[in-house]
Amino acid sequence: DLVRFSESMKDLIVEPQRKKFIPKFDEMKESAFENGALAFGISGSGPSVFVFANSKNQADKIEAELKLVFDGSDIATMSFTESVHGNKGARLTTFS
């Protein structure tokens, strides 16, 4: 149930406090959801974030759009896309 999954991933307690330590957090989150993300959040203690998407194509699109958020800045980024459950489920993209 992707709707329930997406709703359950919302962090209303810690994210508002920690997002200020991650450059362009709000822009990344907005871009991710505008491009079909199922979930977006802070990975571990940061400054990495993660995104869940429902397909490889969707994950690749979100990854490309997140890179555009940092175009023209002096912030270096890295990203990785992995399948969840042996290519039978969502894709996880981490971006730091």
Side-chain angles (χ1 to χ4, degrees), residues 14-26:
V14 177
E15 180 180 295
Q17 303 303 315
R18 292 176 49 213
K19 72 179 188 174
K20 60 187 166 197
F21 300 110
I22 300 173
K24 300 183 180 274
F25 181 87
D26 289 329

Side-chain angles (χ1 to χ4, degrees), residues 23-24 27-28 31 64-73 95:
K24 300 183 180 274
E27 294 96 326
M28 286 190 294
S31 177
E65 292 298 322
L66 290 179
K67 288 179 181 181
L68 291 176
V69 170
F70 288 93
D71 270 2
S73 76
F95 197 83

